[in-house]
Amino acid sequence: MSDQWMNLPSSWSLQNVQAVLTVVVSALSALMIWVTTRTFWRRGAIPVTKESRTVPILSLLTISSLGEVFDTLKVFKLRVLSVRYLAICVQCIVVVIFSLSGMLSGPIARFSSRMGVEERGQEKIVSALVKWNETQQSLTRAGFPTDQLLDFLPDPSRHWFYREDEWNSSWSARCDFIPATPVELQSTGNRSDTLLYTQVSGLKDLTPERFHNKSVYLGRYQLAAFEENRGNYRDVLLFVLRYPDGWTRANFNWDKRMSFSILSVHMHNAPRPSDMDGDGISFGEGKIEKASYTRTDCDLTRIEKMPDDLQFAYPHTLDADSIVQAYADYYRPNLIQQSIANASISPPSPEELFQFYQVYMITKDTQLPHSVQRVITVEVPTVELSIAWLAVVLFFFCVVILGLILYIVFLFKQRSRLSGIPNSKLDWMAISIKEATGQLNKPDHIGHTNDQDKDATEIVRPTQPMESTGQTTWEQLKSAKFGPIRQSSGSLGTLKIQLP
């Protein structure tokens, strides 16, 4: 969610929201046109009802459709842009804008809403046995940092993400990451010693000297390889782990602080022994065509006060063999797939090496499910509504409501005097028909024409005859008036259309 978008309830689908928005835009456009025409008609009728004076007949003109806009422009031409006819010009503009908005309500609804995510608190973290790849994808997606181990495993099926203030991990980590570096290695083919460093010269130099102290650290390794033939590895990923030996006195306090190093070496076209007879020899004799390595060296420190006796990471395991075996098992399928495809292969990045260590530890520590309550931020798919669009809609909605209120109040207060004022195109047609049939000046057809001077409506015929076409000239149209005519006694008489 951004500052320009507002989240809607997650149960609302995007399709339903856009369908409703389409209806809202169409309805609001129609209401804006109607309110605009009623507002200008009210503006023209007020002098007739309150001040009892005549007004230009064009002040009662209302325009409510694109067709009427075209007809008006055909008659007025450029005169519609003059200040005198500002009300007509404004009506034309409003009708055009909101008629187009009604026609384009679908695209407007489409671009005023979108799918987004909302941050919410997840109350329950499920500790369960999960697959390594699912957990690693979860950590990557969440942006979990490489400076700590996990005490709890959020549900990998939820799109959670890391917030520093929501985590108080018991183990912190300070790691040195060595990026991919080319190296020249030689396989000795020495079968008298099963030590890896004896089989591959130059390999020992890839791990810092402090991790070679046998009184403190164990050395374990595993291969993930694709064999092109019995005499050659096409590609090999070698993982070498230097891990504290928990049985030695030097590691008496390793439950509070410990260090380890994990080395990953990719070898291309490495010699393979002619017979793999289980004697611990992994490489044959010859030059390794190409090799590169990455390495992660980490110092782990536990906080002084543990949260409780059970809910914390347990890196000080006595089973280092399983750790390095997990690396080989995890990366073997992808290595084989890439090697068969002759794709470019690089060792895992040093950050990825530590992230898998995080994954291994938390999956190991959560094999016995134990549910706990923690607040973790998760992403929930929601429909987002443009705040700018909403502000525009609310503005015009308020305009519509205000216009309706003013119009209703006006109708209520002046209802006794409005019966003679034409309100729509049908009213004007009725007046024209009655004038043409000679019925307009007959008593009681709309109001009254008697001695009590009650209101009525009539046409006062022009002093000069109309044009032969039967149409009113422009000068007659713009000079025509509508309003009450005073009687000889000085009182107000009938409401009339007065043509020049």
Side-chain angles (χ1 to χ4, degrees):
M1 176 180 177
S2 66
D3 294 337
Q4 299 178 352
W5 295 84
M6 180 185 70
N7 281 334
L8 300 178
S10 58
S11 58
W12 296 7
S13 68
L14 181 62
Q15 294 82 356
N16 291 340
V17 169
Q18 290 179 344
V20 172
L21 293 183
T22 300
V23 174
V24 169
V25 172
S26 300
L28 187 61
S29 299
L31 285 173
M32 273 301 303
I33 293 175
W34 187 84
V35 167
T36 300
T37 59
R38 294 304 91 196
T39 298
F40 281 100
W41 178 84
R42 170 180 165 273
R43 177 174 173 267
I46 285 178
V48 178
T49 58
K50 291 187 176 181
E51 303 174 14
S52 299
R53 63 181 177 86
T54 58
V55 295
I57 198 170
L58 292 179
S59 66
L60 298 176
L61 175 65
T62 58
I63 302 170
S64 58
S65 68
L66 284 176
E68 292 177 0
V69 171
F70 296 145
D71 292 340
T72 301
L73 294 178
K74 182 178 179 181
V75 173
F76 280 78
K77 297 182 174 59
L78 294 179
R79 301 187 191 94
V80 75
L81 300 177
S82 65
V83 177
R84 179 177 181 181
Y85 304 115
L86 180 62
I88 296 176
C89 181
V90 171
Q91 288 186 75
C92 291
I93 293 174
V94 170
V95 169
V96 170
I97 291 176
F98 286 97
S99 294
L100 291 177
S101 69
M103 289 186 288
L104 299 176
S105 59
I108 292 174
R110 160 66 179 83
F111 291 104
S112 62
S113 58
R114 68 178 187 182
M115 287 301 297
V117 293
E118 179 182 4
E119 300 175 6
R120 293 187 180 178
Q122 179 188 0
E123 296 295 334
K124 187 175 183 180
I125 295 179
V126 179
S127 297
L129 181 61
V130 296
K131 296 179 180 179
W132 293 327
N133 59 343
E134 182 183 34
T135 306
Q136 183 153 12
Q137 291 172 4
S138 178
L139 296 186
T140 301
R141 184 176 59 235
F144 197 85
T146 55
D147 62 355
Q148 58 190 287
L149 301 182
L150 290 81
D151 291 334
F152 303 91
L153 179 62
D155 185 354
S157 65
R158 302 296 298 273
H159 287 192
W160 65 279
F161 56 95
Y162 175 80
R163 287 287 180 85
E164 183 178 358
D165 57 350
E166 296 174 347
W167 290 80
N168 57 342
S169 299
S170 57
W171 286 86
S172 63
R174 185 176 59 84
C175 298
D176 293 327
F177 299 122
I178 309 303
T181 305
V183 63
E184 291 187 3
L185 299 175
Q186 179 76 27
S187 180
T188 64
N190 188 339
R191 303 182 68 91
S192 62
D193 193 341
T194 60
L195 291 177
L196 178 64
Y197 297 146
T198 304
Q199 299 178 52
V200 181
S201 62
L203 192 61
K204 184 177 181 180
D205 298 334
L206 303 183
T207 301
E209 185 63 32
R210 69 182 176 113
F211 291 106
H212 292 295
N213 187 343
K214 295 182 179 180
S215 64
V216 180
Y217 297 99
L218 298 171
R220 299 290 186 267
Y221 77 92
Q222 280 292 338
L223 299 178
F226 176 68
E227 304 167 6
E228 185 176 24
N229 52 59
R230 292 187 62 84
N232 188 63
Y233 295 117
R234 179 184 290 182
D235 289 288
V236 177
L237 274 180
L238 171 66
F239 295 96
V240 181
L241 175 66
R242 306 297 295 187
Y243 212 71
D245 184 356
W247 296 106
T248 65
R249 180 175 294 274
N251 291 318
F252 181 75
N253 291 323
W254 77 321
D255 60 337
K256 296 181 179 179
R257 61 184 61 87
M258 57 177 289
S259 301
F260 71 92
S261 176
I262 179 70
L263 173 70
S264 172
V265 184
H266 170 248
M267 305 176 190
H268 181 66
N269 286 336
R272 177 182 180 273
S274 57
D275 57 331
M276 301 289 286
D277 55 7
D279 58 1
I281 304 301
S282 301
F283 293 92
E285 181 179 2
K287 182 177 176 57
I288 297 174
E289 181 178 317
K290 185 172 65 174
S292 61
Y293 75 97
T294 58
R295 193 182 75 239
T296 296
D297 306 324
C298 290
D299 298 318
L300 304 181
T301 305
R302 198 187 76 178
I303 62 176
E304 291 297 327
K305 185 177 181 180
M306 301 297 289
D308 57 42
D309 293 335
L310 293 176
Q311 298 176 8
F312 60 87
Y314 191 82
H316 40 295
T317 174
L318 298 174
D319 191 4
D321 295 88
S322 295
I323 300 176
V324 72
Q325 181 66 53
Y327 275 95
D329 292 343
Y330 182 72
Y331 287 100
R332 182 177 291 110
N334 193 48
L335 171 76
I336 294 175
Q337 181 180 12
Q338 290 179 315
S339 184
I340 292 175
N342 289 319
S344 177
I345 301 176
S346 298
S349 69
E351 293 81 6
E352 188 178 344
L353 289 175
F354 181 75
Q355 187 181 65
F356 183 76
Y357 179 79
Q358 294 173 309
V359 169
Y360 175 82
M361 287 299 161
I362 191 59
T363 53
K364 169 184 70 68
D365 295 338
T366 56
Q367 293 180 85
L368 177 63
H370 176 55
S371 299
V372 295
Q373 298 293 325
R374 288 284 291 264
V375 176
I376 296 295
T377 303
V378 298
E379 293 180 348
V380 179
T382 61
V383 178
E384 292 183 343
L385 190 63
S386 171
I387 294 179
W389 180 88
L390 183 61
V392 172
V393 169
L394 290 177
F395 171 76
F396 286 115
F397 179 77
C398 293
V399 171
V400 167
I401 296 300
L402 179 61
L404 286 174
I405 292 174
L406 294 176
Y407 183 66
I408 292 173
V409 170
F410 174 72
L411 290 180
F412 179 77
K413 289 185 176 181
Q414 305 296 332
R415 59 186 181 278
S416 62
R417 299 183 60 85
L418 291 176
S419 60
I421 302 178
N423 192 356
S424 66
K425 302 300 181 293
L426 291 176
D427 291 343
W428 291 107
M429 291 173 63
I431 291 176
S432 300
I433 293 172
K434 291 176 180 178
E435 191 276 337
T437 57
Q439 299 177 10
L440 189 60
N441 288 323
K442 295 181 180 180
D444 298 326
H445 68 282
I446 294 179
H448 298 274
T449 53
N450 50 33
D451 296 338
Q452 298 178 0
D453 293 330
K454 294 186 178 179
D455 292 336
T457 300
E458 63 180 22
I459 296 290
V460 178
R461 292 174 176 78
T463 55
Q464 298 296 329
M466 295 286 187
E467 294 180 353
S468 60
T469 60
Q471 295 181 348
T472 305
T473 65
W474 168 254
E475 292 298 327
Q476 291 172 325
L477 180 62
K478 74 176 184 178
S479 302
K481 302 285 186 179
F482 181 89
I485 300 299
R486 293 189 177 275
Q487 304 292 340
S488 57
S489 60
S491 60
L492 293 177
T494 57
L495 296 173
K496 302 176 181 179
I497 299 176
Q498 306 171 52
L499 297 177

